[in-house]
Amino acid sequence: MRSGEDGQVVYLERPIPAAEALGAVPAGIEPTRVLRFASHCVSACAHRRGNDCTLVERVRTLPAAREERSVPRCHLRGRCQWWQQTGVSACHRCPAVTTATFREDALATLVADPATTPEQLTAWIAASPDGPASDGPDGAGRASDRDR
C-alpha cells in the first residue's frame, strides 16, 4: 500500500483480503493509485520467457528505491518469482512497482512494455534531461494498452 504522506510503499504487517483493502480507499480515489495487489505468475503472461520474468529484468534497470542492505519483511517472498530469479536486488526495486501505468509516466510505461529491453531503458534514462521522471528524450513516452 502507498502511504498518504510521501507516496512510498508501506508493507502491511499481515496479508489482508482485497475486499478489506478496497474498503479502506476513500471515495473518488482510484484503488490502483494507492494499492498494489500481488498475484501468482501465470504461464501465459506477456512478461514470461521460459521460466523467467522479463519484467523484473526491466525493473532492475531502474535505480534502487532503497540503498540499505536489508529488505522489509514480505509475506510473498517465499513464492515470489522475482526473489527466486534475482534475489535481493528485486526487493530493493519492488517499492517502485505500481499496479497500473499512466500515460504521463513514460518511464513506467516503458518498463511495463514487454517489447522494451533493459538496454533501451538504460539509454532512455541516460537521455532524459530531467532523469527518470521526465517524459523521455523526445518529449513523448510510448503508450501502452494499460495507459489511462
Side-chain angles (χ1 to χ4, degrees), residues 21-119:
L22 288 170
V25 177
I29 303 225
E30 190 173 342
T32 55
R33 288 272 186 186
V34 294
L35 298 173
R36 191 178 71 186
F37 297 96
S39 181
H40 63 282
C41 292
V42 295
S43 60
C45 178
H47 300 289
R48 194 120 176 131
R49 183 182 60 227
N51 290 326
D52 290 338
C53 176
T54 62
L55 179 58
V56 73
E57 293 170 4
R58 292 187 301 281
V59 168
R60 288 180 59 207
T61 303
L62 303 173
R66 301 173 188 260
E67 293 302 323
E68 66 252 17
R69 290 178 181 230
S70 65
V71 292
R73 183 176 169 197
C74 176
H75 301 284
L76 302 174
R77 195 167 291 129
R79 300 179 312 258
C80 178
Q81 171 67 33
W82 289 13
W83 172 260
Q84 292 171 19
Q85 188 172 327
T86 64
V88 73
S89 66
C91 295
H92 289 298
R93 287 157 181 88
C94 191
V97 176
T98 60
T99 300
T101 58
F102 299 90
R103 188 173 311 273
E104 67 270 12
D105 190 342
L107 180 57
T109 300
L110 286 171
V111 170
D113 184 347
T116 304
T117 66
E119 294 78 18

Side-chain angles (χ1 to χ4, degrees), residues 1 10-16 73-75:
M1 175 162 27
V10 176
Y11 292 84
L12 300 175
E13 256 184 59
R14 62 177 176 77
I16 62 172
R73 183 176 169 197
C74 176
H75 301 284

